[in-house]
Amino acid sequence: MTTSVPKNTSAAASHGKPGDPCVFVIFGATGDLTKRLLMPALYNLLANKLLPDKFAIVGVSNVEMSSEDFRKQLGDEIKQFATTKVSDDLWKFFDQRMSYMSGDFKDPATYQKLRSELEKTDKAHGTPGNYLFYTAVSPSFFGEIVKQLAGARLTTEADGHWRRVIIEKPFGHDLESANALNREIGACINEHQTFRIDHYLGKETVQNILAFRFGNGFFEPLWNNTYIDHVQITVAETVGVEERGAFYEVTGALRDMVPNHILALVSLTGMEPPNSFDSETVRDEKTKLLRAIRPITPDEVPSWAVRGQYGPGTIDGKQMPAYRSEPHVDPKSGTETYVAMKLAIDNWRWSGVPFYLRTGKRMAQRLTEIAIKFKAPPALLFRQTGVKQLEQNGLVLHIQPNEGISLSFSAKVPGPVVKLAGVDMNFKYADYFGSAASTGYETLLLDCMIGDPSLFQRADTVDAGWRVVDPILEAWKAKPATDFPNYAAGSWGPAAASDLLKHGGRKWKEG
Ligand code: BG6
């Protein structure tokens, strides 16, 4: 007898109903992503009554292991990585629905074996031929897996069932390779079957950007170059490269964070209002915004982008090593762990409003935020007072941690003399909605199960993103940095990053 899914009585679900019955196939089932994020996210979906009763998991990887050992391993790991206390009763649901097979991702025999495993699983669990494949593997296998799945006819949609593939990031390592991967995948499966994941879009605070901008009457009228001076987007991390030195050495901060996560934030902040939440309409607007970013040439790069690499330093009183001393990193590495850049958006809304972006490892604080800086008011009224300068009002969308929104403005300091001081109004998600146990992958996995691609990158969005960073990659490759390391762990990045904002006395917001 199997444990059944609790009935959906919760209104917490974004779509309100569980995903379609399906088999969830994980390539890379013994890897980090599976234990740290995918299983905890599936567990949270189950706990919120959002997994279909007719559901099964098939794990695939190159490690030899029995299904029994696989279940035991995941059962142990979930206790460590779940975002909530794991109930044995709920875990039984997975235990009764999980199997494992080993195989070489490049060998067609693996996919024949998978085919029979899926037919068996499908019959046993009543998942009507719907298969969701997740590529939690090294990027070099993305194209290969899709090709092999199609070769084994596992991606063919017929008789009312669906087949979908989630492709992890990074999607390509530059414009050319991303487009080659798009072509390779596009030759095997349709765009509606392709779910290019960017986990930033699974974050509630990121999804809230559209609700905030378009669900309120008083922000949108000010959201343009008449009132906004500039926008700053910061994604700062205190962690270093952890155990991912080998990956990071060939990736670097620009590729790792900008074409996907940071440009997703840029497009949500800058896009025009879509006519509906229909996935194509929303994605059209996002892509249009990315295409409006002014292309730069490799020659112009030094005045538009700054790179950095951390040296030793201190974070929270702890001594941190230099990037070059991290495991699997070349002691003479030229890889950037920090990037700051400026974007010009050549459309009617944003012409003349620079977007400044920065991201880095081992920064002073873990912080992801979007700061909108409004133009300062004219000073006429205050000429005869002691107020020398009127400050720019600021609106900050705190993406993480301390999720919320704050507005800073000037107020008169009580007393007989006219004096102004900056004050803040703060909204915190936790105060209103409590804090939900989430990995950020729940919505994304559920969306795949119901076939809603709104939060996934379309081929043309990926293309538009790489077009923005490609000239920088090219220029940096042609001229390796000579000043690395150029910022201390625990600082806000290299000094040169402030030169990007020099114009008009602008400066990076700190903390
Ligand atoms: C990943 C990057 O995509 O995002 C990592 O590869 C980075 O280098 C991570 O640390 C940041 O994600 P989050 O959700 O912790 O901000």
Side-chain angles (χ1 to χ4, degrees):
M1 211 184 93
T2 58
T3 312
S4 69
V5 182
K7 291 283 167 282
N8 187 357
T9 51
S10 145
S14 57
H15 302 88
K17 60 176 179 119
D20 296 350
C22 62
V23 184
F24 189 66
V25 182
I26 310 177
F27 287 94
T30 53
D32 246 33
L33 187 67
T34 305
K35 68 177 178 205
R36 285 177 189 277
L37 292 160
L38 299 184
M39 288 315 299
L42 289 171
Y43 182 86
N44 288 342
L45 284 176
L46 178 70
N48 281 301
K49 300 146 185 123
L50 292 170
L51 272 194
D53 198 8
K54 295 180 170 149
F55 180 77
I57 295 175
V58 174
V60 188
S61 96
N62 55 8
V63 179
E64 284 294 337
M65 192 190 291
S66 66
S67 288
E68 204 184 336
D69 287 346
F70 177 65
R71 285 191 287 268
K72 178 159 181 344
Q73 182 170 313
L74 289 189
D76 291 342
E77 286 166 350
I78 191 73
K79 294 192 182 109
Q80 192 184 344
F81 295 106
T83 56
T84 179
K85 193 171 166 6
V86 177
S87 120
D88 289 344
D89 225 30
L90 279 191
W91 183 254
K92 240 189 249 163
F93 174 86
F94 291 112
D95 215 44
Q96 291 159 343
R97 289 167 171 81
M98 281 199 292
S99 64
Y100 177 81
M101 58 163 270
S102 63
D104 175 352
F105 300 146
K106 292 195 164 159
D107 183 356
T110 303
Y111 300 82
Q112 292 309 326
K113 194 165 136 195
L114 179 60
R115 204 186 157 79
S116 29
E117 182 63 33
L118 282 172
E119 280 164 7
K120 206 170 75 192
T121 309
D122 199 35
K123 268 201 201 104
H125 296 282
T127 50
N130 294 338
Y131 302 157
L132 176 54
F133 301 100
Y134 199 114
T135 58
V137 294
S138 147
S140 58
F141 289 118
F142 295 165
E144 179 72 26
I145 289 176
V146 175
K147 212 162 68 192
Q148 295 276 3
L149 285 171
R153 298 189 54 76
L154 283 166
T155 52
T156 311
E157 296 188 315
D159 308 325
H161 66 231
W162 54 253
R163 304 287 161 92
R164 296 172 190 147
V165 187
I166 303 181
I167 313 282
E168 253 300 329
K169 76 168 268 280
F171 196 93
H173 52 89
D174 57 12
L175 178 63
E176 200 185 319
S177 59
N179 283 337
L181 184 56
N182 268 331
R183 281 193 300 274
E184 195 179 1
I185 292 174
C188 304
I189 56 176
N190 292 312
E191 185 61 31
H192 77 264
Q193 299 176 278
T194 313
F195 289 71
R196 298 172 195 80
I197 202 162
D198 175 345
H199 79 277
Y200 259 58
L201 292 166
K203 295 182 193 286
E204 281 297 335
T205 42
V206 173
Q207 290 169 34
N208 186 47
I209 300 172
L210 289 194
F212 175 74
R213 285 187 56 197
F214 304 128
N216 291 294
F218 58 105
F219 293 114
E220 199 48 27
L222 306 180
W223 213 259
N224 55 54
N225 54 6
T226 307
Y227 300 103
I228 293 179
D229 179 71
H230 71 278
V231 176
Q232 292 184 21
I233 299 185
T234 300
V235 180
E237 299 185 274
T238 49
V239 291
V241 287
E242 301 170 292
E243 293 307 308
R244 301 160 74 222
F247 160 80
Y248 206 81
E249 274 288 87
V250 292
T251 306
L254 180 60
R255 286 189 177 94
D256 191 33
M257 300 298 286
V258 180
N260 32 64
H261 308 328
I262 297 190
L263 289 186
L265 299 180
V266 170
S267 57
L268 289 166
T269 307
M271 70 194 260
E272 294 302 314
N275 287 347
S276 75
F277 274 120
D278 164 70
S279 62
E280 296 321 304
T281 314
V282 174
R283 298 196 296 176
D284 283 348
E285 291 301 342
K286 283 192 201 168
T287 310
K288 245 168 69 187
L289 189 279
L290 294 183
R291 289 210 178 121
I293 294 173
R294 185 184 307 163
I296 55 169
T297 62
D299 290 349
E300 293 170 317
V301 167
S303 44
W304 290 80
V306 169
R307 58 188 148 169
Q309 186 194 78
Y310 62 84
T314 317
I315 300 181
D316 288 337
K318 279 196 211 115
Q319 188 59 34
M320 298 295 168
Y323 173 68
R324 289 176 176 181
S325 312
E326 300 274 17
H328 314 293
V329 170
D330 179 349
K332 291 193 180 127
S333 174
T335 300
E336 83 285 353
T337 59
Y338 173 97
V339 49
M341 58 193 281
K342 185 168 72 172
L343 297 179
I345 301 177
D346 287 333
N347 64 15
W348 285 94
R349 185 188 285 264
W350 295 116
S351 175
V353 180
F355 277 53
Y356 299 103
L357 322 177
R358 62 178 168 165
T359 181
K361 299 269 186 207
R362 290 272 195 246
M363 307 272 293
Q365 203 180 326
R366 176 171 178 252
L367 181 81
T368 298
E369 63 178 32
I370 302 168
I372 314 288
K373 288 285 186 180
F374 290 89
K375 291 182 176 166
L380 173 65
L381 179 64
F382 294 89
R383 257 188 209 158
Q384 317 298 337
T385 72
V387 177
K388 291 279 167 291
Q389 202 190 342
L390 294 173
E391 296 297 324
Q392 292 183 333
N393 298 145
L395 177 71
V396 183
L397 311 185
H398 302 275
I399 304 296
Q400 65 183 24
N402 306 325
E403 290 78 1
I405 293 171
S406 63
L407 186 60
S408 58
F409 51 93
S410 298
K412 183 180 167 296
V413 179
V417 183
V418 179
K419 260 196 196 163
L420 298 184
V423 296
D424 287 330
M425 250 164 40
N426 286 313
F427 149 70
K428 287 199 179 119
Y429 277 80
D431 293 347
Y432 283 80
F433 306 117
S435 23
S438 148
T439 63
Y441 274 70
E442 290 78 0
T443 310
L444 299 172
L445 297 184
L446 178 60
D447 282 356
C448 286
M449 290 182 212
I450 60 175
D452 179 354
S454 311
L455 297 177
F456 293 81
Q457 291 194 299
R458 222 168 45 185
D460 54 347
T461 323
V462 170
D463 172 273
W466 279 113
R467 276 181 201 280
V468 174
V469 299
D470 228 40
I472 306 177
L473 288 173
E474 228 178 275
W476 286 358
K477 188 171 160 206
K479 230 179 181 186
T482 51
D483 61 345
F484 282 179
N486 59 355
Y487 72 98
S491 71
W492 280 102
S498 41
D499 296 349
L500 285 177
L501 281 81
K502 257 191 210 149
H503 176 78
R506 295 171 183 145
K507 53 184 188 323
W508 289 110
K509 186 178 165 298
E510 286 199 1

